Amino acid sequence: MYYPYIIKELRHRHNRTLVNILGISFGIALFISINALSSAYKKAAGQPFKDMGADLIVQRAQKQQNNPGSQPKSMRGIRLPFSNQLFSKQDLIELKNLEDINAAAQALLLWEFTKTGFTSIMGVDLQQPALGGLKAKNWIYKGRFPDKKGEIALEKHFAKFKKIKPGSSFMISGQTFDVVGTIEIKEGAQVSAANIYMLIDDARGLLGKSTGAVNLIYLGLKDPSMQNRIKSQISSKIKGASINSSDSFLELMGGVSMISDKFSLIASMVGLLGAALLIIKTMTSNLVERSYDIGILKAMGWTRADIQKQLMVETFIQAIAGGLLGILMGYLISFLLGFLSISIPVPWEMGFVPSMAKQTQALNEIVRLPISVSVSLSASAMGLSVVIGCITGYILGKRTERMKPADIFRQL
Amino acid sequence: MNNILTAANLSKSFKALQVVKDVSLTIQNGEFACLVGKSGSGKTTLLSILSGLEKPTKGRVSINSTSITDSSENELALFRREKVGFVFQSFHLIPTLCAWENVALPLFPVKMDKEIRKKRAIELLNQMEIGHRAEHRPSSLSGGEKQRVAIARALVNRPEIIFADEPTGNLDSETSGAIMDILKHLNKKNGMSILMVTHDQDLAASTDRIIHMKDGKVVS
């Protein structure tokens, strides 16, 4: 093997070399960006849960009412969301007995309907772990989180809209509460957001219930990969429970997420196949151009294996260069995609605003795309480009088998 | 004197066209023989068969008692690398390689010290009196210089026989004379066996033996 000959050939046919390197690099860049995008969507879907510190949210939706007479006559005052009916004592015992649960927190979510609109109210128990709605106590913007009866904290934008500051008072369902703080909901945690936060006993009081009323349970798992098993356990023990996880968001995302999830492999393989076909095509044309040289090499005693080695190293070098360039391009594309924010649709049962309020407040989480190119993805891309190089080199080598020096010289 | 090359009943057909017809000949060790004939008489095809570039349709070829007729393509390639030197009318140099690299071309697949390889190539170029052009590419060499590079390349693997196909065909008469002098020198001083194809009767006359071909047959 004489490496300067390989380099001289690549430099001499620089246009073809460039086309091959760019072809592979586009294929590799496509492979990296599609896969990075796919992972980013999955990460984004998990972001609301990650920010809440919970793996699962357990709720119970109201049963379908076929009898119109059973519908409430008035939609005023304090109501339980349709998707958040109260759990029974037995339900809570069943949940408490579940294995593989690392932490659990309970909350009571209420809606208050007034003439002018509605508010969502989250009652939390400060004695419980900081999961879900309880995370809000870590997101104080001004003042403090309520720790006594009769105190509330308002979500920052809600407070601004209502022109209420800490130190003032606020009326809920005819009762006056002291506003002790405002809360800034972190990105991705909108799913656990409410307009008003208070102690769970105050929320129970508003609902007219005494102790034990709970309609939201946040669970942190010891091993998040056991999510599906625990989901089915809960479903079997608590009839009618709806259990949401990051998968619930992914299912609703559809569109790009479906493409990236289901078709990312196919799309990236098509990209790579395109790159491989391109290099085979250009190198085959190259072979036709170089048949004279190959005739000389064969006449001078180069065996098919010698020529195949030469061609394989040539394609290998181009594949490596294309692979490295492709990885750089993939990083660049991924970096640029990282500036995008995506809208994650919230499952309806987790939208803590009434469904009729969709016009005013979309049930979406806006999350910055958490895109990143992992070392393993880069290594896979590099491995694939090497495979492309080896396969095309082998195919080209096989094609030289039929080339006879005497035939080539006769055609000159 | 021993025969370095023996060909028996060689025939070669391309579909229905028979270009070599039942040719038998021998070349003796250290002989400078010349194949002459009109264009289309089959001399280049015969040379290709004798040198292992092409397989005959019928007949046998052996060089130094080794038959090459039944050899595989791979074995033929190794045979050409180790036993045979070629000089072509169109020089057949690799355009991307410089003169010394072209000379060393048959040695690249061989495991050997690259300095020794280069030294051997440069020595041969010096013998051909073009050592000063060792780093030049074929595009910057004259016809005569290219043919000297080709002759040096034919010698680099220390062959047993050189096959030269119209080596002066693309050269002016003065350069042709110089190239013939080199070939004659190789034959007389080094005892190199040479089989040359030409249609130039004057050049043929300066060799040891003339083999005439007509319509694919050896006629004298």
Side-chain angles (χ1 to χ4, degrees), chain A residues 254-267:
Chain A
V256 179
S257 75
M258 293 295 280
I259 288 168
S260 54
D261 192 37
K262 286 189 178 173
F263 301 115
S264 63
L265 183 69
I266 298 169

Side-chain angles (χ1 to χ4, degrees), chain A residues 65-73:
Chain A
Q65 300 287 336
N66 293 327
N67 179 7
S70 65
Q71 299 288 348
K73 286 176 184 162

Side-chain angles (χ1 to χ4, degrees), chain A residues 2 8-9 298 306 410, chain B residues 54 80-81 96 101 105:
Chain A
Y2 182 60
K8 282 179 183 187
E9 280 298 331
K298 286 197 163 188
D306 296 328
R410 199 175 289 119
Chain B
E54 194 150 30
R80 290 194 295 267
R81 186 194 295 176
T96 50
E101 288 170 326
L105 196 64

